[in-house]
Amino acid sequence: MRTIIITGASGGLAQEMVKLLPNDQLILLGRNKEKLAQLYGNHPHVELIEIDITDDQALETLVAELYQRYGKIDVLINNAGYGIFEEFDKISDKDIHQMFEINTFALMNLSRCLGARMKERGEGHIINIISMAGLIATSKSSLYSATKFAAIGFSNALRLELMPYSIYVTTVNPGPIRTAFFDQADPDGSYLKSVDRFLLEPDAVAKKIVKTIGKNKRELNLPLLLNLAHKFYTLFPKLADKLAGKTFNYK
């Protein structure tokens, strides 16, 4: 039986992943244990943990306790994250620090703590669910994109460092997914309406992520249309900037 940690476990994408992992020992991390219990109380192999993932010391203590209990962690899925779409000069200091704490620093710290132990064992898989916003920047996403670009940079370096130890690091970069993420990122629903044709369904994304577990897959970029846009962005950055500033400015 594989032992799998999932952060941001009360989110819509995590819920769909859990449905596809009935035979694994799951350690689900979230901010509210009651909500986790409502969602996953009937799962046969689950441990529910309420934790503030921005508390570095709490994370280190948790990892040590989990290794005492389970002996190994096979897979870490860093899924926690949130977004605010706002013009750069309307973002506060507090917004900047909070979003980096959750989207970037927590991902880095948990990957570091678990990656070190996986390295000792010579086995494991870290899946960082990041965003297309970490590959393609658009207006009103300066802070969100910054946190995601940083997470991708970290993951790419981590992959190279863990490669000699047979540990895989996969980045998952989805476009917009139809989940409660947009309750905060897009409270009036106008962005969701404008990107409807790009919208991904959480169950479809979850299937693709679960399929990659245990496989040496570098990245998973979804949907196909945005993956092509990313390749275009890399090859023709100036033209891509023009298009992103006009044609693809949906926020």
Side-chain angles (χ1 to χ4, degrees), residues 147-210:
T147 66
K148 298 299 185 175
F149 267 80
I152 289 175
F154 169 77
S155 302
N156 288 346
L158 185 69
R159 181 184 302 111
L160 299 177
E161 291 187 38
L162 291 178
M163 201 182 285
Y165 303 93
S166 304
I167 296 152
Y168 306 142
V169 177
T170 303
T171 56
V172 179
N173 302 307
I177 306 173
R178 203 185 299 275
T179 66
F181 169 90
F182 289 102
D183 294 352
Q184 183 172 6
D186 177 42
D188 68 359
S190 55
Y191 172 69
L192 262 187
K193 204 175 282 182
S194 63
V195 297
D196 191 63
R197 62 191 159 140
F198 300 118
L199 265 186
L200 295 159
E201 296 301 330
D203 58 336
V205 178
K207 275 178 196 165
K208 287 184 183 290
I209 294 167
V210 168

Side-chain angles (χ1 to χ4, degrees), residues 17-185:
M17 286 191 280
V18 169
K19 287 178 192 172
L20 301 170
L21 299 165
N23 302 316
D24 296 286
Q25 174 60 53
L26 302 181
I27 301 160
L28 304 179
L29 276 53
R31 286 173 297 178
N32 186 318
K33 196 165 184 178
E34 269 182 40
K35 187 171 182 186
L36 292 174
Q38 285 170 6
L39 291 170
Y40 305 116
N42 296 324
H43 193 284
H45 314 290
V46 77
E47 179 172 358
L48 307 175
I49 296 172
E50 182 176 316
I51 189 170
D52 174 6
I53 59 167
T54 68
D55 183 335
D56 304 344
Q57 192 54 58
L59 280 185
E60 289 201 22
T61 302
L62 174 65
V63 169
E65 287 172 357
L66 291 175
Y67 269 84
Q68 278 187 330
R69 281 207 289 284
Y70 296 102
K72 68 181 176 73
I73 303 294
D74 298 291
V75 185
L76 165 64
I77 303 178
N78 277 308
N79 172 64
Y82 75 102
I84 298 169
F85 298 144
E86 189 56 272
E87 289 171 18
F88 79 94
D89 51 353
K90 291 181 183 163
I91 297 165
S92 69
D93 286 354
K94 190 180 174 188
D95 290 334
I96 291 168
H97 289 279
Q98 278 186 346
M99 202 183 293
F100 266 99
E101 286 283 353
I102 292 174
N103 290 6
T104 312
F105 302 151
L107 174 148
M108 291 173 74
N109 279 324
L110 207 42
S111 297
R112 183 175 54 84
C113 292
L114 282 162
R117 290 179 182 258
M118 289 176 176
K119 186 175 164 181
E120 283 173 16
R121 188 166 160 246
E123 196 177 356
H125 193 172
I126 296 172
I127 299 174
N128 289 333
I129 298 171
I130 305 177
S131 173
M132 266 290 169
L135 297 172
I136 304 171
T138 54
S139 63
K140 294 190 184 175
S141 69
S142 59
L143 173 55
Y144 184 63
S145 280
T147 66
K148 298 299 185 175
F149 267 80
I152 289 175
F154 169 77
S155 302
N156 288 346
L158 185 69
R159 181 184 302 111
L160 299 177
E161 291 187 38
L162 291 178
M163 201 182 285
Y165 303 93
S166 304
I167 296 152
Y168 306 142
V169 177
T170 303
T171 56
V172 179
N173 302 307
I177 306 173
R178 203 185 299 275
T179 66
F181 169 90
F182 289 102
D183 294 352
Q184 183 172 6

